[in-house]
Amino acid sequence: MDLSNFKTYSISTGIIRMTVAKSGISFSKTAVIRLGKPEFACILINSEEKIVVIQKSNKDDEAAAPFFKSGRKNVTVRWNYRDLLQRLEEMMNWDTNENTYRIDGMYHSEEDVLSFDLKAAQIIE
């Protein structure tokens, strides 16, 4: 059997998820794994449709932010960028001082990106 067109699929028990809270924005283990544990990533925001996309990047990209540090045992990512948090709060009229928001996402293999529809956010009790 010719395996040249096959790629290893990394199994994870969780789901692709982004959490927005006053302490920052975090991405689940499955989200990080699906994106391939990149060292850098960019965030793209569609303000009209209220969708956030996370895209692999490299350190030379001006818009890139550190994402995953290889060698870490904890395969989650937390961004503590206050300006990004404020942007999402304003766009969605959220209050992260009072609530934490959970957004399930999707992996798009053809584009190799994660997307999160902020309109589908749920408040974590």
Side-chain angles (χ1 to χ4, degrees), residues 3-75:
L3 300 178
S4 60
N5 290 328
F6 288 81
K7 293 171 96 177
T8 301
Y9 183 83
S10 297
I11 296 172
S12 180
T13 58
I15 60 172
I16 295 169
R17 179 169 287 157
M18 178 173 79
T19 305
V20 180
K22 69 180 176 182
S23 61
I25 299 162
S26 60
F27 300 93
S28 68
K29 176 180 180 178
T30 302
V32 176
I33 288 172
R34 287 296 155 260
L35 205 53
K37 300 181 192 175
E39 189 176 348
F40 294 91
C42 290
I43 184 165
L44 295 84
I45 300 174
N46 182 325
S47 297
E48 288 181 21
E49 294 187 35
K50 312 280 194 258
I51 296 174
V52 168
V53 168
I54 306 300
Q55 179 181 47
K56 287 183 191 181
S57 188
N58 60 56
K59 66 180 179 181
D60 298 327
D61 187 333
E62 197 172 289
F67 195 69
F68 182 73
K69 293 180 183 176
S70 63
R72 289 187 60 202
K73 289 184 181 183
N74 186 3
V75 186

Side-chain angles (χ1 to χ4, degrees), residues 19 29-30 37 45-46 50 55 57 67 81-82 86 92 94-95 101 103-105 108 110 117:
T19 305
K29 176 180 180 178
T30 302
K37 300 181 192 175
I45 300 174
N46 182 325
K50 312 280 194 258
Q55 179 181 47
S57 188
F67 195 69
Y81 301 112
R82 187 70 195 146
Q86 287 176 335
M92 299 305 297
W94 287 347
D95 182 359
Y101 302 88
I103 307 99
D104 293 343
H108 304 272
E110 289 189 15
D117 184 348

